[in-house]
Amino acid sequence: MARHLITSAIPYINGVKHLGNLVGSQLPADLFARYMRARGHEVLFLCATDEHGTPAELAAAKAGQPVADYCAEMHRVQADLAAGFRLSFDHFGRSSSEENRRLTQHLAVKLFEAGLIEERTERQVYSVADGRFLPDRYIEGTCPNCGYEKARGDQCENCTKQLDPTDLIDPRSAISGATELEVRETKHLYLLQSTLRDRLAAWIDEQADWPVLTTSIAKKWLFDGDGLQDRGITRDLDWGIPAQFEGAPWSGMEGKVFYVWFDAPIEYIACAAEWAAAQGLADADWERWWRTGRGAGDVRYTQFMGKDNVPFHTLSFPATLIGSGEDWKLVDYIKSFNYLNYDGGQFSTSQGRGVFMDDALEILPADYWRWWLLSRAPENSDSEFTWEAFQTDVNKDLADVLGNFVSRVTKFCRSKFGEAVPAGGAWGERERQLIADLSEGLARYEAAMDAIAIRRAAQELRALWVMGNEYLQEAAPWAAYKEDPDRAAAVIRLALNLIRVYAVLSQPFIPDAAAAMRRALGTEDANWPGDMEAALGALAPGHAFEVPDVLFRKITEEERDAWQARFAGGRG
């Protein structure tokens, strides 16, 4: 048994996430966590809400709520949606937790003591009307590149051009709309990550099995242009982890908080501390996952994220941990994803274009979405959600292949032998061939899952489902029953056991359907089929079962057209 620490990129607090966000981190992380548990390994699967930074304050102001109240409410919303999609987190924490405050401030002190934090003076936009410095995202104006009138001070959402606040035409405060803006000097703390470039580069070079997408992005940030740059780790904001605190080795940072991209990754560690506290466990119980000198030396740590998050997880967060001089566990493998686009364009939170997690669960149960998203995961390139592809795959894979097999086998058995596994007959050459084929297919499925090759794993799982259908069609128990009932009984006995095997193997992808299959078979046996022949005899003759409800219904063309029109834009 191995020990697997698994983290998903933590979703931002400002609203419900769309399906592109889901498949880019949380959902594939859940697939891997479920698989590792099913194989008998010890797993700690952590995620949280990312609650600090400018967007949280703006979203709270728009909602007319204090930011702390808004974040608490949205954490509940996101936790409920995660549960709805059956994301099996061991703990779903909050970056605003007391544990994260303590740990972030602790690591900042250690970095300062190591000579890796220095104070710098910089020029920043100040709003006289608001009485505060404005972070880049708090400044709006007209883009000098495309003329978009609601460009932000860091980037134009319309043309994607990177901007500085001083580039904007007719700039104004995003808080109050005030135009009386000045450029003033302010002090901030900087993490001198450029001094760690060689150590980071050497560490990345050691990761020979990382995806090309991950390493190429990291090396681009390390070496392109002037190379890895030092990074400001404080901001002039009210909401966040205070940068001036008791025991801080600096002064004059009142009214400033740590930058969200400094404290958010630290929440991965703090989340483990939150988990331990929630379980009534001691600090040693979470430290054995995160401190190599306290038991984490044998942990394999895997992170899941979209490609836009890669620089922070391959450079900034490791710089924090390495620079602290403490024995923190570094990531072993980063599974990064490209983007999922939507029906000929892009998902857009601001325009309400695309399918969001709450709307998805309103339309169909989680398994429909889980299967499609994972089987089309944007691993090697961007992929695209279309309603036609969704309808086709659900109807073919889930309804026609898996659902049809379960329905035909259980209904035929009930009609000819009753609702119990039939006795009689023996396996022949066709059954031995099926066992061999299933064993080989299972090995391919396991290899894909071990490698976190998600699309390939989905293909191998579907191929296992197809084997059962092909066997059933060839063995034709409905024809055999007329002349040789014992032969039909042997075929159906194997097929009923194969349903249990399918339930076990499919659970990481479609947990609700897997549970329904096992429930119908009247078994809690979820043992992974190490020996396929033995697994196909787990349910003995006389074992009672029930015919389950339809596992997956087909999506009609009328539904598909209505959903396509509904989610073309204008949400909320």
Side-chain angles (χ1 to χ4, degrees):
M1 183 178 74
R3 297 173 61 215
H4 287 270
L5 174 62
I6 301 170
T7 61
S8 160
I10 62 180
Y12 207 72
I13 197 70
N14 62 335
V16 173
K17 304 296 112 176
H18 55 64
L19 297 185
N21 300 133
L22 179 64
V23 75
S25 56
Q26 292 177 309
L27 187 54
D30 178 71
L31 176 79
F32 188 58
R34 286 177 174 275
Y35 171 70
M36 284 297 158
R37 292 190 194 106
R39 298 304 305 275
H41 301 306
E42 185 181 3
V43 170
L44 185 62
F45 177 26
L46 302 172
C47 192
T49 40
D50 183 0
E51 300 188 10
H52 295 141
T54 306
E57 288 195 348
L58 289 177
K62 185 177 180 180
Q65 293 179 269
V67 65
D69 294 349
Y70 173 83
C71 288
E73 178 182 321
M74 288 309 303
H75 178 267
R76 289 191 294 271
V77 168
Q78 293 202 19
D80 288 345
L81 288 171
F85 273 94
R86 307 298 185 252
L87 304 179
S88 59
F89 305 127
D90 289 292
H91 190 73
F92 187 61
R94 303 180 62 187
S95 69
S96 61
S97 68
E98 177 63 19
E99 288 85 353
N100 198 37
R101 181 196 65 77
R102 285 199 303 266
L103 189 56
T104 297
Q105 292 174 341
H106 165 80
L107 285 168
V109 170
K110 300 301 292 185
L111 289 165
F112 183 88
E113 291 172 350
L116 292 171
I117 286 181
E118 74 175 23
E119 185 180 294
R120 294 183 183 176
T121 299
E122 60 185 56
R123 293 169 64 79
Q124 192 172 328
V125 175
Y126 184 87
S127 170
V128 177
D130 297 312
R132 61 181 293 175
F133 284 98
L134 298 179
D136 296 350
R137 280 176 168 250
Y138 273 31
I139 307 164
E140 291 181 348
T142 300
C143 175
N145 185 54
C146 71
Y148 182 60
E149 294 182 351
K150 292 186 177 180
R152 298 191 307 261
D154 59 347
Q155 185 179 26
C156 175
E157 187 183 59
N158 185 56
C159 69
T160 72
K161 183 177 177 61
Q162 298 286 319
L163 300 170
D164 287 321
T166 52
D167 295 333
L168 294 173
I169 300 167
D170 299 326
R172 60 191 177 275
S173 166
I175 302 170
S176 63
T179 58
E180 189 180 354
L181 307 180
E182 301 174 355
V183 177
R184 297 184 181 181
E185 288 189 344
T186 183
K187 293 180 180 179
H188 284 291
L189 300 177
Y190 271 72
L191 175 61
L192 306 184
Q193 54 186 22
S194 63
T195 64
L196 294 169
R197 188 180 71 170
D198 291 344
R199 290 182 64 184
L200 290 168
W203 172 66
I204 290 169
D205 284 341
E206 293 171 1
Q207 317 308 320
D209 63 339
W210 280 13
V212 172
L213 178 65
T214 301
T215 53
S216 62
I217 292 172
K219 290 187 176 182
K220 177 180 175 66
W221 279 61
L222 272 173
F223 300 115
D224 279 11
D226 294 328
L228 184 63
Q229 299 296 298
D230 298 335
R231 192 170 192 90
I233 60 168
T234 53
R235 293 292 187 271
D236 291 290
L237 290 172
D238 295 325
W239 173 246
I241 295 175
Q244 193 63 55
F245 52 91
E246 185 177 351
W250 50 73
S251 60
M253 291 293 150
E254 291 82 6
K256 301 178 191 294
V257 300
F258 284 105
Y259 178 39
V260 63
W261 266 113
F262 182 70
D263 84 77
I266 295 170
E267 169 59 18
Y268 294 137
I269 307 173
C271 188
E274 295 171 47
W275 161 77
Q279 303 294 319
L281 302 174
D283 285 348
D285 291 292
W286 71 262
E287 289 173 345
R288 67 187 285 266
W289 292 96
W290 278 106
R291 302 298 292 263
T292 57
R294 303 177 192 180
D298 63 348
V299 168
R300 180 163 176 83
Y301 177 21
T302 307
Q303 294 176 344
F304 290 79
M305 70 197 65
K307 61 185 178 183
D308 53 331
N309 287 337
V310 167
F312 304 103
H313 290 78
T314 55
L315 303 173
S316 298
F317 184 39
T320 295
L321 299 184
I322 292 171
S324 74
E326 296 181 318
D327 60 342
W328 296 106
K329 172 67 182 174
L330 295 176
V331 65
D332 293 297
Y333 190 80
I334 296 179
K335 178 69 175 183
S336 55
F337 293 86
N338 290 281
Y339 295 136
L340 175 70
N341 295 318
Y342 178 75
D343 215 10
Q346 291 183 327
F347 281 91
S348 173
T349 301
S350 62
Q351 297 175 24
R353 187 173 188 278
V355 187
F356 290 73
M357 290 173 67
D358 53 351
D359 292 324
L361 293 178
E362 176 194 327
I363 292 172
L364 288 169
D367 280 353
Y368 292 73
W369 302 105
R370 288 178 62 103
W371 173 255
W372 193 91
L373 290 168
L374 291 167
S375 66
R376 298 291 192 108
E379 291 177 290
N380 299 317
S381 62
D382 291 353
S383 59
E384 182 169 6
F385 177 94
T386 69
W387 287 102
E388 291 81 4
F390 180 64
Q391 178 196 26
T392 298
D393 291 357
V394 164
N395 290 354
K396 284 174 55 181
D397 298 349
L398 299 181
D400 287 344
V401 180
L402 179 61
N404 185 52
F405 180 81
V406 173
S407 178
R408 291 173 75 190
V409 170
T410 55
K411 287 182 177 178
F412 178 79
C413 187
R414 179 176 62 184
S415 69
K416 302 302 182 184
F417 302 106
E419 291 187 320
V421 176
W427 290 347
E429 182 59 33
R430 184 62 185 88
E431 285 70 37
R432 286 189 287 274
Q433 183 61 53
L434 175 63
I435 291 169
D437 292 343
L438 288 168
S439 298
E440 292 175 4
L442 174 59
R444 291 191 297 271
Y445 175 55
E446 291 172 347
M449 290 289 272
D450 288 337
I452 323 180
I454 294 171
R455 292 178 74 138
R456 180 156 57 89
Q459 292 166 2
E460 297 296 349
L461 177 58
R462 186 185 188 278
L464 290 167
W465 299 342
V466 169
M467 288 178 195
N469 279 275
E470 291 176 342
Y471 166 74
L472 196 65
Q473 200 63 29
E474 291 176 25
W478 46 86
Y481 183 80
K482 298 173 183 176
E483 299 178 0
D484 188 352
D486 279 352
R487 169 63 183 159
V491 170
I492 289 300
R493 186 167 62 251
L494 183 150
L496 286 168
N497 274 280
L498 187 51
I499 292 174
R500 189 201 70 84
V501 169
Y502 285 163
V504 174
L505 300 183
S506 305
Q507 183 269 145
F509 280 90
I510 45 175
D512 285 350
M517 284 188 273
R518 286 185 22 234
R519 194 162 52 245
L521 292 174
T523 179
E524 293 299 315
D525 182 358
N527 290 321
W528 196 262
D531 180 332
M532 188 60 70
E533 182 172 349
L536 292 174
L539 303 181
H543 180 92
F545 72 90
E546 297 176 353
V547 174
D549 294 332
V550 174
L551 284 181
F552 296 99
R553 70 169 184 82
K554 289 194 172 185
I555 297 171
T556 67
E557 291 189 6
E558 291 76 17
E559 287 176 315
R560 181 198 70 195
D561 292 343
W563 294 336
Q564 189 166 14
R566 175 180 171 185
F567 297 107
R571 168 186 167 92

